[in-house]
Amino acid sequence: MKGTIIRLQGGFYDVMTETDQEIRCRARGNFRKRNISPVVGDDVVIQDQGDGTGYILEVEERENHLIRPPIANIDQAFLLFSVKEPAFSYHLLDRFLVLIESKQIHPIIVLTKMDLLDDEETEKIREATTLYRRIGYEVIETSTESSVGVELIRSAFKQKTSVFAGQTGVGKSSLLNAVAPELALATGKISKSLGRGKHTTRHVTLIRLAEGLVADTPGFSSLEFPQELETEELRWCFPEFVELHDECKFRGCVHMNEPGCAVKAAVDSGEIASTRYENYVTFMEELNDRKRRY
Ligand SMILES: Nc1nc2c(ncn2[C@@H]2O[C@H](COP(=O)(O)OP(=O)(O)O)[C@@H](O)[C@H]2O)c(=O)[nH]1
Ligand SMILES: [Mg+2]
Ligand SMILES: [Zn+2]
C-alpha cells in the first residue's frame, strides 16, 4: 500500500494512505544503513498490519527536499508578501524566488493585505503584479479583510502538497484561517506573545486542507541562499534570463561583464525589469563574497 508521511512522532511515522487512512508505522529494513532517513512528505510503500499500525518498506525517490523545515516532495510554495505593514519589497520577493527556484519548487506569489491600499497605491502595486505575471509567475492578490483571492488560494491547494512562506506579520496564519477556519491559528500579537520555548522541538506536520496537504510551519525559515547554490547557477533562477540565454554571445555567460550579453541588452531595452537585474547583481555579489569567505 502507498502513502505519504505526514508526521514524525516518538520514533513512529504517521502515514496517510491513498485511501485516507492514518497508519502509525515503524521503519523496517535497513534505511539507516542505506543512509535514508524518512521525512515528512516522503512517499512510502507500507505494509498495513490491519490494526492501525504498519511498517515502512520503501521510501520513493524525492522530487525535492528542504532541510529547514525537514520536508520532502513539495509541489508548490505560496510566497506571501504584504503590500503594506510591512511594506512590499522587490528585493525580498526576488530573494524568495531564488530560494525556491534553486530547490525546483513551483512558486505562487501571494500579495496580502490589499485592503490597506488606496487607489493610487493599488495602481503602483499592480506594476509588480504585471511584472511577475509577464515573467510567467502566478500572482494572487488577497485580503482576508475583504475576502479577496481566498477562493483562488483554496482551489490552488487541491491535490498538492504546499508550504506557506513569508516573513512574520505578512498574514500567513490569517490566510490559512480564511481558507480553513477550523484551523483557528493564532494571528498577530497573540501568536508572538505565545513564544514557544527555545528547547521545544518543533516537528513538521502535514495537515489536510482544502483537498490538499499543507505544512504547518513556514517554509524557508532562513533567507540565506542554500550552501549548494553556486554563483554560476544563479542565472537559472531567473526564468526570463533563461529564456534569452541562448542569444548571449558566450555559452558560459553569467550576464555580468561579458560582451554580447542578450540579458543586459534586454535590460537596456526595458524588456527585462531593471529591479530584477539589479537584484541579480546584488545576489551574485553576495554569493561571491561567501565563496571568498570559505
Ligand atoms: N488589513 C489586513 N490585515 C491583515 C490581513 N491579513 C493579516 N492581517 C493582519 O496582519 C497581522 C499579522 O497576521 P498573521 O496572520 O499573524 O501573520 P503571520 O505572522 O504571517 O502568520 C495581524 O494583525 C493580522 O490581523 C489582511 O488581509 N488585511
Ligand atoms: Mg503566523
Ligand atoms: Zn548574458
Side-chain angles (χ1 to χ4, degrees), residues 109-153:
I109 299 169
V110 181
L111 301 179
T112 64
K113 311 192 190 183
M114 287 298 288
D115 59 280
L116 294 179
L117 301 183
D118 62 27
D119 289 352
E120 205 175 303
E121 292 167 321
T122 304
E123 287 270 298
K124 194 99 191 89
I125 213 72
R126 291 260 152 85
E127 289 172 16
T129 305
T130 308
L131 191 171
Y132 288 93
R133 281 188 184 151
R134 245 182 44 206
I135 295 169
Y137 289 117
E138 186 176 350
V139 184
I140 303 178
E141 298 175 347
T142 69
S143 163
T144 53
E145 285 293 308
S146 43
S147 292
V148 170
V150 175
E151 275 311 315
L152 283 173
I153 301 285

Side-chain angles (χ1 to χ4, degrees), residues 89-256:
S89 151
Y90 283 91
H91 178 93
L92 202 60
L93 173 50
D94 286 338
R95 178 175 284 273
F96 267 104
L97 285 173
V98 166
L99 286 172
I100 197 164
E101 292 278 356
S102 71
K103 292 282 179 190
Q104 268 129 36
I105 298 169
H106 178 72
I108 297 173
I109 299 169
V110 181
L111 301 179
T112 64
K113 311 192 190 183
M114 287 298 288
D115 59 280
L116 294 179
L117 301 183
D118 62 27
D119 289 352
E120 205 175 303
E121 292 167 321
T122 304
E123 287 270 298
K124 194 99 191 89
I125 213 72
R126 291 260 152 85
E127 289 172 16
T129 305
T130 308
L131 191 171
Y132 288 93
R133 281 188 184 151
R134 245 182 44 206
I135 295 169
Y137 289 117
E138 186 176 350
V139 184
I140 303 178
E141 298 175 347
T142 69
S143 163
T144 53
E145 285 293 308
S146 43
S147 292
V148 170
V150 175
E151 275 311 315
L152 283 173
I153 301 285
R154 183 179 291 129
S155 55
F157 270 118
K158 270 189 195 161
Q159 317 302 335
K160 299 272 167 66
T161 299
S162 309
V163 294
F164 256 49
Q167 296 207 302
T168 304
V170 296
K172 296 180 293 296
S173 302
S174 303
L175 193 54
L176 282 168
N177 281 342
V179 171
E182 69 273 17
L183 290 175
L185 300 171
T187 63
K189 292 190 191 78
I190 311 157
S191 66
K192 256 173 248 162
S193 66
L194 272 178
R196 293 171 189 279
K198 248 193 219 153
H199 303 289
T200 329
T201 349
R202 273 284 279 145
H203 289 302
V204 195
T205 299
L206 284 175
I207 44 185
R208 269 247 176 274
L209 193 146
E211 297 170 56
L213 291 169
V214 63
D216 69 340
T217 43
F220 307 94
S221 36
S222 160
L223 286 175
E224 293 267 329
F225 293 126
Q227 211 51 48
E228 66 274 15
L229 179 65
E230 303 281 343
T231 48
E232 305 76 38
E233 280 172 36
L234 188 61
R235 58 189 156 157
W236 310 128
C237 298
F238 287 70
E240 74 273 46
F241 297 9
V242 175
E243 215 157 287
L244 289 174
H245 189 263
D246 284 345
E247 291 170 35
C248 292
K249 187 169 172 196
F250 298 105
R251 260 185 62 184
C253 192
V254 292
H255 323 310
M256 293 292 283

